[in-house]
């Protein structure tokens, strides 16, 4: 083993040069030049005058794995609240008072898996909706203690049932914060959760920054000011709070190379322009139907559970340029900034001699984020000389990692280049920088571009799909491939029914939750392929609510997520008051036909909906109820099941046969 970093560097250099002597090509990639190539702009990296702000990590909303791929430092998860939160609903740990279940949903599993890969990953929880807490009002602050109890119980449940320590907790995603923050802090402390820190308010820099400055009690309980989509800038009053400043939600951009450029630019410039020490991407993995809002806006894509196909997209490798070579607790240098001809550079240190430099030259055209508006700027070819001073002046060698976001023949993702030796350069080196490039130069030798097996081939959703929901455990889980858009649909066991319908899928909400988005007035869960056109849908249904109860099956659903209220399609409804309707929209404004039918609550019925071309027909228990009604719009969409208002109902033996448009 070498006796010093200098000796180790010389030995590595000797091995490389010896190997190169017998090869046809040069060792060094001509992207990195010696310091003699001048003129070039010079950028000093120095810690002589102290360090900048503490780095808090890079993360994603609902992680990582050290030195493999994205290697995220932070995982931020939704605290399920039974309401629509962009592309679907997530079930609450408390559907109603006195109901507690700390195994619903996928977030527990996700946090556990993240911890297996990175035991040091930081966990954050944030609510979007709040279930039943509103007491008839769409407002979580009717009873501050009850809302605080709801959140604290989730944190305690994470520890008790999953051995997960939640590190940070948020208030209410992109909504008001109220004096609830102080109540939450008191309840956290009373339950021995002093270590859990509070982020506020996951919205804009204001009014939380002013409120913190004007209210000393509030200042004491807010640990981090988190803003969403800040455009790399803060406001002066946020800086005056002297709190940690985070971009606590960012990105939300198609995970193409343009999205990767957006991500690479803001990871650097959020600190340079706005002193933000953490940036968290929405979202972690695009694992929802692509035609829902913000399809493929995750760092990677895995939207075909039926095939197992996934794509490790370029934002994953852009993340690695920072995450694999830094850790929370490192510090930014004060000497960071913009490059003379466009782009930026940051440098971080662990204070123990290690240094990581990240340089980006993302062009305007290829780094536009979905929000906010990006003012025009220009990036052009440039030579950039960096000079290491202070404790870094005698660094002998830097590892080099490189990304080029460009046309396929020029494209490179997280490629390790030859090391850069600085033994005889006086700590100077020059980079030849083109547009849309990322360089990481680091003393760390642990970087790795992980390998993974080739994923299964992409396949369309099966044209024929059946589910009898015969799952005996756990009863409260969600059925595969169904995507709840309003309401919550869970596996259920009818204890007193030993027959065909012992195991079913049940809509379990009996009241409208406190919502974050514009949830529909009817519950709905979608499934299938958005390109489906002609289809036959059949399902057994059971209305539990007397008089006002109702259920539907539907096809050609054209909208979901935060747009679910305006969903069009063909909806076949039956009601416990003995009526049926066929509508062209979920809200029920467009009626194709209606009538009386022998239907009541507490009985099983089989509904069949056929849609072919511009016509549809329906059957009840195998007998035609209506035929050849004209349905011109929409031409394609998902299949769906749901209920009228928020009422208990069950579904069984779901079956769809479809053709694509």
């Amino acid at each position: 083993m070498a006796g010093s970093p200098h000796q180790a560097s010389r030995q590595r250099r000797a091995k490389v040069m010896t190997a190169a002597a017998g090869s046809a090509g040069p060792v060094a990639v001509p992207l990195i030049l010696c310091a003699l190539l001048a003129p070039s702009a010079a950028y000093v990296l120095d810690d002589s005058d102290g360090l900048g702000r503490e780095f808090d990590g890079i993360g994603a909303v609902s992680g990582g794995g050290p030195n493999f791929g994205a290697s995220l430092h932070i995982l931020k998860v939704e605290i399920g609240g039974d309401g629509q939160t962009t592309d679907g609903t997530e079930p609450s740990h408390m559907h109603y008072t006195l109901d507690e279940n700390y195994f619903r949903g996928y977030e527990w599993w996700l946090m556990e898996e993240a911890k297996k890969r990175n035991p040091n990953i930081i966990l954050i929880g944030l609510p979007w909706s709040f279930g039943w807490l509103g007491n008839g009002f769409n407002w979580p602050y009717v009873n501050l203690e009850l809302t605080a109890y709801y959140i604290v119980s989730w944190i305690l449940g994470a520890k008790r049932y999953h051995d997960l320590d939640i590190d940070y907790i948020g208030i209410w995603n992109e909504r008001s914060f109220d004096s609830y923050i102080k109540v939450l802090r008191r309840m956290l402390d009373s339950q021995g959760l002093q270590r859990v820190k509070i982020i506020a308010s996951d919205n804009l820099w204001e009014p939380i920054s002013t409120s913190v400055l004007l209210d000393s009690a509030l200042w004491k309980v807010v640990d981090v000011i988190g803003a969403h989509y800040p455009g790399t800038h803060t406001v002066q009053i946020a800086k005056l709070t002297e709190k940690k400043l985070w971009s606590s939600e960012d990105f939300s951009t198609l995970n193409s190379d343009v999205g990767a450029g957006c991500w690479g630019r803001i990871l650097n410039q959020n600190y340079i322009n706005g002193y933000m020490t953490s940036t968290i991407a929405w979202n972690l993995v695009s694992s929802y139907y692509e035609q829902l809002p913000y399809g493929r806006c995750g760092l990677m894509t895995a939207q075909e559970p039926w095939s197992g196909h996934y794509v490790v997209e370029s934002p994953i490798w852009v993340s690695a340029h920072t995450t694999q070579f830094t850790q929370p607790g490192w510090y930014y240098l004060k000497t960071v900034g913009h490059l003379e001809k466009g782009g930026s550079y940051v440098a971080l240190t662990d204070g123990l001699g290690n240094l990581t430099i990240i340089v980006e030259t993302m062009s305007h055209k290829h780094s536009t984020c979905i929000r906010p508006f990006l003012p025009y700027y220009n990036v052009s070819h440039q030579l950039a000389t960096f000079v290491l001073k202070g404790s870094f002046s005698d660094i002998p060698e830097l590892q080099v990692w490189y990304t080029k976001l460009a046309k396929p023949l020029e494209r490179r993702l997280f490629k390790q280049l030859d090391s850069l030796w600085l033994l005889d350069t006086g700590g100077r080196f020059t980079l030849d920088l083109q547009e849309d490039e990322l360089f990481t130069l680091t003393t760390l030798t642990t970087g790795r571009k992980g390998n993974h097996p080739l994923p299964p081939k992409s396949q369309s959703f099966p044209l024929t799909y059946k589910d009898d929901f015969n799952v005996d455990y756990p009863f409260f889980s969600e059925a595969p491939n169904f995507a709840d858009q309003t309401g919550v649909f869970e596996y259920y066991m009818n204890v007193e029914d030993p027959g065909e319908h012992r195991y079913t899928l049940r809509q379990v909400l009996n009241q409208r939750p406190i919502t974050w988005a514009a949830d529909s007035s009817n519950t709905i869960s979608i499934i299938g392929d958005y390109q489906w056109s002609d289809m036959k849908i059949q399902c057994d249904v059971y209305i539990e609510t007397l008089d006002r109860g109702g259920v539907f099956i539907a096809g050609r659903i054209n909208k979901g997520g935060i747009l679910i209220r305006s969903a069009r399609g063909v909806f076949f409804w039956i009601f416990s008051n003995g009526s049926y309707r066929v509508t062209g929209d979920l809200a029920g404004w467009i009626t194709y036909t209606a009538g009386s039918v022998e239907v009541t609550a507490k009985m099983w019925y089989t509904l069949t909906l056929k849609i072919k071309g511009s016509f549809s027909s329906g059957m009840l228990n195998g007998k035609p109820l209506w035929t050849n009604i004209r349905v011109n719009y929409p031409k394609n969409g998902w299949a769906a099941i749901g209920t009228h208002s928020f009422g208990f109902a069950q579904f069984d033996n779901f079956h769809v046969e479809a053709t694509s448009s």
Side-chain angles (χ1 to χ4, degrees), residues 359-601:
V359 181
E360 61 84 19
T361 57
M362 298 300 140
S363 65
H364 183 277
K365 182 179 180 180
H366 294 116
S367 71
T368 302
C369 303
I370 198 169
R371 67 175 78 86
F373 171 77
L374 179 62
Y376 180 77
Y377 65 90
N378 186 56
V379 176
S380 58
H381 175 227
Q382 58 193 303
L383 300 178
T385 296
F386 293 86
V387 184
L388 306 186
K389 292 190 175 183
S391 68
F392 311 121
S393 60
D394 62 349
I395 287 176
E397 177 186 3
L398 291 172
Q399 308 293 308
V400 184
W401 292 82
Y402 173 69
T403 286
K404 173 72 171 181
L405 300 172
K407 296 177 181 178
L409 292 179
E410 301 175 359
R411 189 173 185 253
R412 299 288 185 273
L413 294 177
F414 199 56
K415 177 179 176 62
Q416 186 169 18
L417 305 183
D418 296 320
S419 295
L420 182 61
W421 286 281
L422 306 174
L423 292 172
D424 306 312
T425 68
R428 298 171 68 90
F429 63 91
T430 298
L431 299 183
D432 184 356
L433 300 174
Q434 307 286 339
E435 289 185 11
D436 300 316
E437 292 182 332
L438 266 171
F439 281 92
T440 296
L441 304 105
T442 180
T443 56
L444 298 183
T445 60
T446 52
R448 184 161 66 98
K449 186 173 184 179
N451 297 311
H452 56 85
L454 285 175
K457 291 184 178 179
S458 176
Q459 296 179 15
S460 298
F461 195 96
L463 293 173
T464 299
Y465 184 82
K466 297 180 180 180
D467 197 335
D468 59 13
F469 310 118
N470 287 352
V471 176
D472 58 1
Y473 181 84
F475 311 133
F476 48 81
S477 296
E478 300 161 274
N481 303 316
F482 281 89
D484 301 350
Q485 301 301 304
T486 297
V488 175
F489 295 73
E490 298 178 348
Y491 286 133
Y492 182 70
M493 182 175 71
N494 289 297
V495 179
E496 298 178 357
D497 186 346
E500 180 184 3
H501 301 296
R502 183 172 179 82
Y503 302 109
T504 67
L505 189 69
R506 189 189 195 209
Q507 199 295 118
V508 297
L509 299 190
N510 62 0
Q511 59 182 301
R512 185 182 183 87
I514 295 174
T515 59
W516 175 80
D519 296 29
S520 66
S521 298
N522 313 289
T523 74
I524 178 172
S525 187
I526 62 173
I527 189 171
D529 189 326
Y530 190 79
Q531 303 307 320
W532 281 353
S533 179
D534 294 349
M535 65 186 83
K536 175 184 175 182
I537 306 161
Q538 185 169 293
C539 190
D540 298 340
V541 299
Y542 183 89
I543 305 170
E544 297 187 41
T545 307
L546 297 172
D547 300 326
R548 62 184 181 85
V551 298
F552 69 81
I553 61 174
R556 293 186 182 175
I557 308 302
N558 72 340
K559 292 181 182 179
I562 53 177
L563 306 176
I564 190 61
R565 287 176 68 93
S566 58
R568 296 284 301 274
V570 181
F571 296 80
F572 176 16
W573 309 73
I574 61 170
F575 301 93
S576 57
N577 64 4
S579 64
Y580 78 93
R581 292 181 70 199
V582 183
T583 68
D585 64 328
L586 177 60
W589 294 102
I590 304 167
T591 299
Y592 291 133
T593 189
S596 299
V597 67
E598 293 185 4
V599 167
T600 185

Side-chain angles (χ1 to χ4, degrees), residues 8-23:
S9 178
R10 289 186 188 278
Q11 289 179 5
R12 282 193 293 268
R13 185 175 188 178
K15 289 180 181 179
V16 172
M17 296 305 292
T18 300
S23 65

